[in-house]
Amino acid sequence: MRALIKTTLADTAVEAIRSEIIGRRWLVGEKLPNETSLSSMLSVSRGTIREAVRVLVSQGYLETRQGSGTYVRSNTDVSLPLDMARRAGLRDQFEARLALEVEAARLAALRHSPEVVSQLRALLVARGNYTGGDKAKFIERDLAFHEAVVAASQNRAMIEIYEFFSLSIAETIEATLGEDIPEPDMQAHIAIVDAIEASNPEAADIAVRRFMAPVVATLDRLLMS
Amino acid sequence: MRALIKTTLADTAVEAIRSEIIGRRWLVGEKLPNETSLSSMLSVSRGTIREAVRVLVSQGYLETRQGSGTYVRSNTDVSLPLDMARRAGLRDQFEARLALEVEAARLAALRHSPEVVSQLRALLVARGNYTGGDKAKFIERDLAFHEAVVAASQNRAMIEIYEFFSLSIAETIEATLGEDIPEPDMQAHIAIVDAIEASNPEAADIAVRRFMAPVVATLDRLLMS
DNA sequence: GTGATAAAGTCATCTGATGACTTGATGAAA
DNA sequence: TTTCATCAAGTCATCAGATGACTTTATCAC
């Protein structure tokens, strides 16, 4: 079964107004209809409109001036990349995460220290194999390992974006699919650490791809159904 | 004279609640007091609290469940990833961009259409080789090609993040190094398109890495000095 | 135990009202 | 004519109260 996506009226109003802004219904600097008009246009109460407008203000799209009105501040939000990425499909997010982890593992293989390798192995031990029980906890420990791999790349940009995708993916899974994504086995994980320890970026690349392949395959199957 | 900073009650409420979240007054997953309690705690109406909460929801800090309550979803600044990534070093940004472009090229090789390939070739012709003149224009045309490669992956998440890095990198180069980054030659670019056309992801991977290698090398030299 | 049911708690939304602020028009004074 | 105080209309900011929808928990019959 697939969880229903419930959306509130205010959220709907946010999207309705945002799409009008992006669609250039009002240009930058122009004034929107007042709250009462908007509420009748969208058939929601004024309070709901106010909630929607305040969200758009916080996202940089709108600006409100008390006593004057509500104005368009921007129609190309700077926080858009992350928003769009968040809205992208689960498969897209996985692919992006894979892209980052592959390269991070390569860099980690070139830049690792003995301490990092032993830390990775410790995280793997802590992670263990999933043998029933609290799956959320297991996923958390698994994620800790993967983030450590990326951290070993010593690339701050990749660390940040990877973390974002991990969060976003967790959200998406929770909201849509439940917890049906299979976790790859321990052997695949060990191969990653081995490759890093051996300073072999090619092997690290392959190991990461190998462990992600079944995940993506299952994802496709689930998304098809 | 300095303009007075006027702040609304709702904005104040947003900051008040956000600081409590970041200050770990409630941990992730914990439930906040209900709207009525919050409104009396902050001495504002329930409507104001709702506007504040909705902003924090849109920023990823909170989550509301009708009939149940309002819960902390994250206590780290979720808009931070891109800021941090932007502040990361030029080399880090290049590496992240490489990670995305490699994977995008792989996907493009699997998903390309004849139209996309001819579009890529057309962009390469338009790009030409740099033979002096307006370097900014040339960089722009070069970027158009690379973005088209990523677009050919049909992965929206990667397209967005890649675009962000491209912009960010352009800014950084302009602000720090001038225009000393060497542009790879035409031959390397053609190899990418060829690999995509041949539906050969491995070759696409290698081609992208090959064309980026001299760029990163030069970057290192410049950053060393 | 198990499952249906009832009750309490909470968010979602609406309605109506008042206050604060901005803007433009008006008109008197310089 | 120009300046400037005043006023009125328009709009956002905020409040109060009420109802509906949904979740969670306790209860009770089986």
Side-chain angles (χ1 to χ4, degrees), chain B residues 107-162:
Chain B
L107 294 173
L110 297 174
R111 299 172 183 172
H112 75 278
S113 65
E115 293 76 37
V116 166
V117 172
S118 55
Q119 184 210 357
L120 287 174
R121 294 211 187 278
L123 283 171
L124 266 192
V125 171
R127 171 181 176 274
N129 273 308
Y130 181 59
T131 55
D134 191 342
K135 189 150 188 177
K137 286 284 182 198
F138 173 72
I139 291 179
E140 193 175 305
R141 292 196 300 270
D142 181 65
L143 187 57
F145 168 75
H146 291 292
E147 286 185 348
V149 170
V150 178
S153 73
Q154 301 180 32
N155 182 311
R156 289 212 306 148
M158 291 174 65
I159 292 169
E160 290 295 331
I161 303 295
Y162 185 85

Short mmCIF file of all heavy atoms in Angstrom, two decimals, chain B residues 107-162:
data_model
loop_
_atom_site.label_atom_id
_atom_site.label_comp_id
_atom_site.label_asym_id
_atom_site.label_seq_id
_atom_site.Cartn_x
_atom_site.Cartn_y
_atom_site.Cartn_z
N LEU B 107 24.58 8.46 -17.12
CA LEU B 107 23.14 8.31 -17.32
C LEU B 107 22.74 8.76 -18.72
O LEU B 107 21.88 8.16 -19.36
CB LEU B 107 22.39 9.12 -16.27
CG LEU B 107 22.57 8.62 -14.83
CD1 LEU B 107 21.94 9.58 -13.84
CD2 LEU B 107 21.96 7.24 -14.68
N ALA B 108 23.38 9.83 -19.17
CA ALA B 108 23.06 10.33 -20.51
C ALA B 108 23.36 9.27 -21.55
O ALA B 108 22.63 9.11 -22.54
CB ALA B 108 23.85 11.60 -20.80
N ALA B 109 24.45 8.53 -21.33
CA ALA B 109 24.80 7.48 -22.28
C ALA B 109 23.73 6.40 -22.31
O ALA B 109 23.52 5.75 -23.34
CB ALA B 109 26.16 6.88 -21.90
N LEU B 110 23.05 6.22 -21.21
CA LEU B 110 22.02 5.18 -21.15
C LEU B 110 20.66 5.69 -21.63
O LEU B 110 19.80 4.90 -22.00
CB LEU B 110 21.88 4.68 -19.70
CG LEU B 110 23.12 3.98 -19.12
CD1 LEU B 110 22.91 3.66 -17.64
CD2 LEU B 110 23.42 2.72 -19.91
N ARG B 111 20.48 7.00 -21.60
CA ARG B 111 19.15 7.54 -21.85
C ARG B 111 19.08 8.49 -23.02
O ARG B 111 18.08 9.19 -23.20
CB ARG B 111 18.67 8.30 -20.59
CG ARG B 111 18.58 7.43 -19.37
CD ARG B 111 18.29 8.24 -18.11
NE ARG B 111 18.30 7.37 -16.94
CZ ARG B 111 18.23 7.80 -15.68
NH1 ARG B 111 18.13 9.09 -15.44
NH2 ARG B 111 18.24 6.95 -14.69
N HIS B 112 20.11 8.57 -23.80
CA HIS B 112 20.15 9.61 -24.82
C HIS B 112 19.19 9.31 -25.97
O HIS B 112 18.79 8.17 -26.19
CB HIS B 112 21.56 9.73 -25.37
CG HIS B 112 21.90 8.60 -26.29
ND1 HIS B 112 22.33 7.38 -25.83
CD2 HIS B 112 21.86 8.48 -27.63
CE1 HIS B 112 22.54 6.57 -26.85
NE2 HIS B 112 22.25 7.20 -27.96
N SER B 113 18.85 10.36 -26.67
CA SER B 113 18.10 10.22 -27.91
C SER B 113 18.94 10.87 -29.01
O SER B 113 19.83 11.66 -28.72
CB SER B 113 16.76 10.93 -27.78
OG SER B 113 16.98 12.32 -27.63
N PRO B 114 18.64 10.54 -30.26
CA PRO B 114 19.38 11.16 -31.37
C PRO B 114 19.29 12.68 -31.32
O PRO B 114 20.27 13.38 -31.62
CB PRO B 114 18.67 10.61 -32.61
CG PRO B 114 18.06 9.33 -32.16
CD PRO B 114 17.69 9.52 -30.73
N GLU B 115 18.12 13.20 -30.91
CA GLU B 115 17.96 14.65 -30.84
C GLU B 115 18.96 15.26 -29.86
O GLU B 115 19.58 16.29 -30.14
CB GLU B 115 16.54 15.03 -30.41
CG GLU B 115 15.46 14.66 -31.42
CD GLU B 115 15.16 13.17 -31.40
OE1 GLU B 115 15.19 12.59 -30.30
OE2 GLU B 115 14.94 12.59 -32.48
N VAL B 116 19.09 14.61 -28.71
CA VAL B 116 19.99 15.15 -27.69
C VAL B 116 21.42 15.16 -28.21
O VAL B 116 22.14 16.14 -28.03
CB VAL B 116 19.89 14.31 -26.40
CG1 VAL B 116 21.04 14.63 -25.46
CG2 VAL B 116 18.56 14.57 -25.71
N VAL B 117 21.80 14.09 -28.88
CA VAL B 117 23.17 14.02 -29.38
C VAL B 117 23.43 15.13 -30.39
O VAL B 117 24.45 15.81 -30.33
CB VAL B 117 23.44 12.64 -30.03
CG1 VAL B 117 24.79 12.65 -30.74
CG2 VAL B 117 23.39 11.55 -28.98
N SER B 118 22.49 15.34 -31.28
CA SER B 118 22.74 16.39 -32.28
C SER B 118 22.71 17.76 -31.63
O SER B 118 23.43 18.67 -32.05
CB SER B 118 21.72 16.30 -33.42
OG SER B 118 20.41 16.33 -32.90
N GLN B 119 21.91 17.89 -30.59
CA GLN B 119 21.91 19.17 -29.88
C GLN B 119 23.27 19.41 -29.23
O GLN B 119 23.80 20.52 -29.27
CB GLN B 119 20.81 19.16 -28.80
CG GLN B 119 20.68 20.49 -28.07
CD GLN B 119 20.20 20.32 -26.63
OE1 GLN B 119 19.92 19.21 -26.19
NE2 GLN B 119 20.14 21.42 -25.90
N LEU B 120 23.82 18.36 -28.65
CA LEU B 120 25.13 18.49 -28.02
C LEU B 120 26.19 18.88 -29.05
O LEU B 120 27.03 19.74 -28.80
CB LEU B 120 25.52 17.19 -27.33
CG LEU B 120 24.77 16.86 -26.02
CD1 LEU B 120 25.15 15.48 -25.51
CD2 LEU B 120 25.07 17.91 -24.97
N ARG B 121 26.11 18.25 -30.21
CA ARG B 121 27.11 18.56 -31.25
C ARG B 121 26.94 20.01 -31.71
O ARG B 121 27.93 20.72 -31.96
CB ARG B 121 26.96 17.61 -32.43
CG ARG B 121 27.31 16.16 -32.08
CD ARG B 121 27.87 15.40 -33.27
NE ARG B 121 28.04 13.98 -32.96
CZ ARG B 121 29.09 13.49 -32.31
NH1 ARG B 121 30.05 14.30 -31.91
NH2 ARG B 121 29.16 12.20 -32.06
N ALA B 122 25.69 20.44 -31.79
CA ALA B 122 25.45 21.82 -32.22
C ALA B 122 26.04 22.79 -31.19
O ALA B 122 26.65 23.81 -31.55
CB ALA B 122 23.96 22.07 -32.39
N LEU B 123 25.88 22.47 -29.92
CA LEU B 123 26.41 23.34 -28.88
C LEU B 123 27.94 23.38 -28.94
O LEU B 123 28.56 24.42 -28.68
CB LEU B 123 25.97 22.86 -27.50
CG LEU B 123 24.52 23.19 -27.13
CD1 LEU B 123 24.11 22.48 -25.86
CD2 LEU B 123 24.36 24.70 -26.96
N LEU B 124 28.53 22.25 -29.30
CA LEU B 124 29.99 22.22 -29.41
C LEU B 124 30.46 23.10 -30.57
O LEU B 124 31.46 23.80 -30.45
CB LEU B 124 30.47 20.78 -29.64
CG LEU B 124 30.86 20.02 -28.37
CD1 LEU B 124 31.58 18.73 -28.75
CD2 LEU B 124 31.74 20.88 -27.48
N VAL B 125 29.73 23.05 -31.66
CA VAL B 125 30.09 23.89 -32.80
C VAL B 125 29.98 25.36 -32.41
O VAL B 125 30.86 26.17 -32.67
CB VAL B 125 29.18 23.59 -34.01
CG1 VAL B 125 29.41 24.63 -35.11
CG2 VAL B 125 29.45 22.19 -34.53
N ALA B 126 28.88 25.68 -31.74
CA ALA B 126 28.69 27.07 -31.31
C ALA B 126 29.79 27.50 -30.35
O ALA B 126 30.24 28.65 -30.35
CB ALA B 126 27.32 27.23 -30.64
N ARG B 127 30.22 26.56 -29.54
CA ARG B 127 31.25 26.88 -28.54
C ARG B 127 32.58 27.19 -29.23
O ARG B 127 33.24 28.16 -28.90
CB ARG B 127 31.43 25.68 -27.62
CG ARG B 127 32.61 25.78 -26.68
CD ARG B 127 32.70 24.52 -25.82
NE ARG B 127 33.86 24.52 -24.96
CZ ARG B 127 35.06 24.10 -25.31
NH1 ARG B 127 35.27 23.69 -26.56
NH2 ARG B 127 36.07 24.11 -24.45
N GLY B 128 32.95 26.35 -30.19
CA GLY B 128 34.20 26.57 -30.89
C GLY B 128 35.40 26.43 -29.97
O GLY B 128 35.30 25.88 -28.87
N ASN B 129 36.54 26.92 -30.41
CA ASN B 129 37.72 26.94 -29.56
C ASN B 129 37.99 28.37 -29.16
O ASN B 129 37.61 29.31 -29.85
CB ASN B 129 38.93 26.36 -30.30
CG ASN B 129 39.00 24.85 -30.14
OD1 ASN B 129 38.94 24.33 -29.04
ND2 ASN B 129 39.07 24.16 -31.28
N TYR B 130 38.65 28.51 -28.04
CA TYR B 130 38.94 29.87 -27.58
C TYR B 130 40.12 30.42 -28.35
O TYR B 130 41.23 29.89 -28.31
CB TYR B 130 39.24 29.88 -26.09
CG TYR B 130 39.51 31.26 -25.59
CD1 TYR B 130 38.54 32.26 -25.72
CD2 TYR B 130 40.72 31.58 -25.00
CE1 TYR B 130 38.78 33.54 -25.27
CE2 TYR B 130 40.97 32.86 -24.53
CZ TYR B 130 39.99 33.83 -24.67
OH TYR B 130 40.23 35.09 -24.23
N THR B 131 39.89 31.47 -29.08
CA THR B 131 40.96 32.04 -29.89
C THR B 131 41.10 33.52 -29.57
O THR B 131 41.26 34.35 -30.44
CB THR B 131 40.64 31.88 -31.38
OG1 THR B 131 39.33 32.46 -31.61
CG2 THR B 131 40.60 30.44 -31.79
N GLY B 132 41.03 33.81 -28.27
CA GLY B 132 41.10 35.22 -27.88
C GLY B 132 39.74 35.85 -27.99
O GLY B 132 38.77 35.23 -28.39
N GLY B 133 39.67 37.09 -27.57
CA GLY B 133 38.39 37.77 -27.62
C GLY B 133 37.69 37.71 -26.27
O GLY B 133 38.34 37.57 -25.23
N ASP B 134 36.39 37.78 -26.33
CA ASP B 134 35.60 37.85 -25.09
C ASP B 134 35.59 36.51 -24.38
O ASP B 134 34.84 35.62 -24.74
CB ASP B 134 34.17 38.31 -25.43
CG ASP B 134 33.42 38.66 -24.16
OD1 ASP B 134 33.86 38.24 -23.07
OD2 ASP B 134 32.39 39.36 -24.26
N LYS B 135 36.43 36.39 -23.37
CA LYS B 135 36.53 35.11 -22.69
C LYS B 135 35.25 34.77 -21.92
O LYS B 135 34.86 33.60 -21.82
CB LYS B 135 37.71 35.12 -21.71
CG LYS B 135 37.98 33.74 -21.15
CD LYS B 135 39.44 33.53 -20.81
CE LYS B 135 39.71 32.09 -20.44
NZ LYS B 135 41.13 31.83 -20.16
N ALA B 136 34.59 35.79 -21.38
CA ALA B 136 33.36 35.53 -20.63
C ALA B 136 32.32 34.85 -21.52
O ALA B 136 31.64 33.91 -21.11
CB ALA B 136 32.80 36.82 -20.06
N LYS B 137 32.23 35.33 -22.74
CA LYS B 137 31.26 34.74 -23.67
C LYS B 137 31.61 33.28 -23.95
O LYS B 137 30.74 32.41 -24.01
CB LYS B 137 31.26 35.53 -24.99
CG LYS B 137 30.57 36.87 -24.88
CD LYS B 137 29.06 36.72 -24.87
CE LYS B 137 28.39 38.08 -24.82
NZ LYS B 137 26.98 37.99 -24.38
N PHE B 138 32.90 33.05 -24.12
CA PHE B 138 33.32 31.69 -24.41
C PHE B 138 33.00 30.75 -23.24
O PHE B 138 32.47 29.65 -23.44
CB PHE B 138 34.83 31.65 -24.68
CG PHE B 138 35.37 30.25 -24.82
CD1 PHE B 138 35.08 29.50 -25.95
CD2 PHE B 138 36.13 29.69 -23.81
CE1 PHE B 138 35.55 28.21 -26.07
CE2 PHE B 138 36.61 28.39 -23.93
CZ PHE B 138 36.32 27.65 -25.06
N ILE B 139 33.28 31.22 -22.05
CA ILE B 139 32.97 30.41 -20.86
C ILE B 139 31.48 30.12 -20.79
O ILE B 139 31.06 29.02 -20.45
CB ILE B 139 33.46 31.12 -19.58
CG1 ILE B 139 34.99 31.13 -19.56
CG2 ILE B 139 32.89 30.45 -18.34
CD1 ILE B 139 35.58 31.82 -18.36
N GLU B 140 30.71 31.11 -21.16
CA GLU B 140 29.26 30.93 -21.13
C GLU B 140 28.83 29.83 -22.10
O GLU B 140 28.02 28.97 -21.76
CB GLU B 140 28.61 32.27 -21.52
CG GLU B 140 27.13 32.35 -21.25
CD GLU B 140 26.60 33.74 -21.56
OE1 GLU B 140 27.14 34.72 -21.01
OE2 GLU B 140 25.68 33.84 -22.40
N ARG B 141 29.39 29.87 -23.30
CA ARG B 141 29.03 28.85 -24.29
C ARG B 141 29.52 27.47 -23.85
O ARG B 141 28.86 26.45 -24.04
CB ARG B 141 29.62 29.21 -25.65
CG ARG B 141 29.00 30.44 -26.30
CD ARG B 141 29.34 30.51 -27.78
NE ARG B 141 30.77 30.57 -28.02
CZ ARG B 141 31.50 31.69 -28.09
NH1 ARG B 141 30.90 32.87 -27.93
NH2 ARG B 141 32.79 31.65 -28.31
N ASP B 142 30.70 27.47 -23.24
CA ASP B 142 31.24 26.20 -22.74
C ASP B 142 30.32 25.62 -21.68
O ASP B 142 29.98 24.43 -21.69
CB ASP B 142 32.64 26.44 -22.15
CG ASP B 142 33.25 25.15 -21.63
OD1 ASP B 142 33.52 24.27 -22.46
OD2 ASP B 142 33.44 25.03 -20.40
N LEU B 143 29.88 26.50 -20.79
CA LEU B 143 29.00 26.05 -19.72
C LEU B 143 27.68 25.52 -20.28
O LEU B 143 27.13 24.53 -19.77
CB LEU B 143 28.73 27.22 -18.75
CG LEU B 143 27.95 26.86 -17.49
CD1 LEU B 143 28.68 25.76 -16.73
CD2 LEU B 143 27.79 28.09 -16.60
N ALA B 144 27.20 26.15 -21.33
CA ALA B 144 25.95 25.70 -21.94
C ALA B 144 26.08 24.25 -22.39
O ALA B 144 25.14 23.45 -22.22
CB ALA B 144 25.59 26.60 -23.12
N PHE B 145 27.23 23.91 -22.92
CA PHE B 145 27.45 22.53 -23.35
C PHE B 145 27.41 21.57 -22.16
O PHE B 145 26.71 20.55 -22.17
CB PHE B 145 28.79 22.40 -24.08
CG PHE B 145 29.22 20.98 -24.30
CD1 PHE B 145 28.61 20.20 -25.28
CD2 PHE B 145 30.20 20.41 -23.51
CE1 PHE B 145 28.97 18.88 -25.47
CE2 PHE B 145 30.59 19.09 -23.69
CZ PHE B 145 29.97 18.32 -24.67
N HIS B 146 28.15 21.93 -21.12
CA HIS B 146 28.22 21.03 -19.97
C HIS B 146 26.86 20.87 -19.31
O HIS B 146 26.50 19.78 -18.86
CB HIS B 146 29.25 21.54 -18.97
CG HIS B 146 30.65 21.44 -19.47
ND1 HIS B 146 31.28 20.24 -19.67
CD2 HIS B 146 31.53 22.38 -19.87
CE1 HIS B 146 32.49 20.45 -20.15
NE2 HIS B 146 32.67 21.75 -20.29
N GLU B 147 26.12 21.95 -19.26
CA GLU B 147 24.79 21.85 -18.66
C GLU B 147 23.88 20.98 -19.52
O GLU B 147 23.01 20.27 -19.00
CB GLU B 147 24.19 23.24 -18.45
CG GLU B 147 24.86 23.96 -17.28
CD GLU B 147 24.20 25.30 -16.96
OE1 GLU B 147 23.39 25.77 -17.79
OE2 GLU B 147 24.51 25.86 -15.89
N ALA B 148 24.10 21.03 -20.81
CA ALA B 148 23.30 20.18 -21.70
C ALA B 148 23.62 18.70 -21.47
O ALA B 148 22.74 17.85 -21.54
CB ALA B 148 23.54 20.57 -23.15
N VAL B 149 24.89 18.43 -21.20
CA VAL B 149 25.27 17.04 -20.90
C VAL B 149 24.52 16.57 -19.66
O VAL B 149 23.93 15.48 -19.64
CB VAL B 149 26.80 16.93 -20.67
CG1 VAL B 149 27.14 15.55 -20.11
CG2 VAL B 149 27.54 17.17 -21.97
N VAL B 150 24.54 17.40 -18.64
CA VAL B 150 23.87 17.02 -17.40
C VAL B 150 22.36 16.92 -17.63
O VAL B 150 21.71 16.01 -17.10
CB VAL B 150 24.19 18.03 -16.27
CG1 VAL B 150 23.45 17.66 -14.99
CG2 VAL B 150 25.68 18.06 -16.01
N ALA B 151 21.84 17.84 -18.41
CA ALA B 151 20.40 17.79 -18.69
C ALA B 151 20.03 16.49 -19.39
O ALA B 151 18.94 15.95 -19.18
CB ALA B 151 19.99 18.99 -19.54
N ALA B 152 20.96 15.98 -20.18
CA ALA B 152 20.69 14.74 -20.92
C ALA B 152 20.55 13.55 -19.98
O ALA B 152 20.05 12.50 -20.37
CB ALA B 152 21.81 14.48 -21.93
N SER B 153 20.98 13.73 -18.74
CA SER B 153 20.80 12.64 -17.76
C SER B 153 19.34 12.51 -17.37
O SER B 153 18.93 11.49 -16.82
CB SER B 153 21.62 12.92 -16.50
OG SER B 153 21.02 13.96 -15.74
N GLN B 154 18.58 13.54 -17.65
CA GLN B 154 17.15 13.58 -17.28
C GLN B 154 16.94 13.46 -15.79
O GLN B 154 15.87 13.03 -15.34
CB GLN B 154 16.38 12.48 -18.01
CG GLN B 154 16.48 12.59 -19.53
CD GLN B 154 15.70 11.50 -20.22
OE1 GLN B 154 14.67 11.03 -19.73
NE2 GLN B 154 16.17 11.07 -21.39
N ASN B 155 17.96 13.81 -15.03
CA ASN B 155 17.85 13.75 -13.57
C ASN B 155 17.73 15.17 -13.03
O ASN B 155 18.70 15.94 -13.02
CB ASN B 155 19.08 13.05 -13.00
CG ASN B 155 18.99 12.92 -11.48
OD1 ASN B 155 18.70 13.88 -10.79
ND2 ASN B 155 19.22 11.72 -10.98
N ARG B 156 16.52 15.50 -12.54
CA ARG B 156 16.28 16.88 -12.14
C ARG B 156 17.12 17.29 -10.94
O ARG B 156 17.59 18.43 -10.85
CB ARG B 156 14.79 17.06 -11.80
CG ARG B 156 13.90 17.02 -13.02
CD ARG B 156 12.71 17.92 -12.83
NE ARG B 156 11.99 17.59 -11.60
CZ ARG B 156 11.34 18.47 -10.86
NH1 ARG B 156 11.33 19.74 -11.21
NH2 ARG B 156 10.71 18.11 -9.77
N ALA B 157 17.30 16.37 -10.02
CA ALA B 157 18.09 16.71 -8.83
C ALA B 157 19.52 17.08 -9.23
O ALA B 157 20.07 18.09 -8.80
CB ALA B 157 18.09 15.54 -7.85
N MET B 158 20.10 16.27 -10.09
CA MET B 158 21.48 16.54 -10.49
C MET B 158 21.58 17.80 -11.33
O MET B 158 22.54 18.56 -11.22
CB MET B 158 22.02 15.33 -11.25
CG MET B 158 22.21 14.13 -10.34
SD MET B 158 22.69 12.62 -11.20
CE MET B 158 24.29 13.09 -11.82
N ILE B 159 20.58 18.04 -12.15
CA ILE B 159 20.60 19.25 -12.97
C ILE B 159 20.62 20.49 -12.07
O ILE B 159 21.42 21.41 -12.27
CB ILE B 159 19.35 19.29 -13.89
CG1 ILE B 159 19.46 18.19 -14.95
CG2 ILE B 159 19.21 20.66 -14.55
CD1 ILE B 159 18.16 17.98 -15.74
N GLU B 160 19.75 20.47 -11.06
CA GLU B 160 19.67 21.64 -10.18
C GLU B 160 20.99 21.88 -9.44
O GLU B 160 21.49 22.99 -9.38
CB GLU B 160 18.54 21.45 -9.16
CG GLU B 160 17.15 21.51 -9.77
CD GLU B 160 16.85 22.89 -10.32
OE1 GLU B 160 17.39 23.89 -9.80
OE2 GLU B 160 16.08 22.96 -11.29
N ILE B 161 21.50 20.82 -8.85
CA ILE B 161 22.70 21.00 -8.04
C ILE B 161 23.90 21.35 -8.92
O ILE B 161 24.74 22.17 -8.55
CB ILE B 161 23.00 19.71 -7.23
CG1 ILE B 161 21.78 19.36 -6.37
CG2 ILE B 161 24.20 19.91 -6.35
CD1 ILE B 161 21.45 20.36 -5.31
N TYR B 162 23.95 20.75 -10.10
CA TYR B 162 25.05 21.07 -11.01
C TYR B 162 25.01 22.54 -11.39
O TYR B 162 26.04 23.23 -11.39
CB TYR B 162 24.96 20.22 -12.27
CG TYR B 162 26.12 20.41 -13.21
CD1 TYR B 162 27.30 19.70 -13.04
CD2 TYR B 162 26.05 21.32 -14.27
CE1 TYR B 162 28.37 19.88 -13.89
CE2 TYR B 162 27.12 21.50 -15.13
CZ TYR B 162 28.28 20.77 -14.93
OH TYR B 162 29.34 20.96 -15.76
#
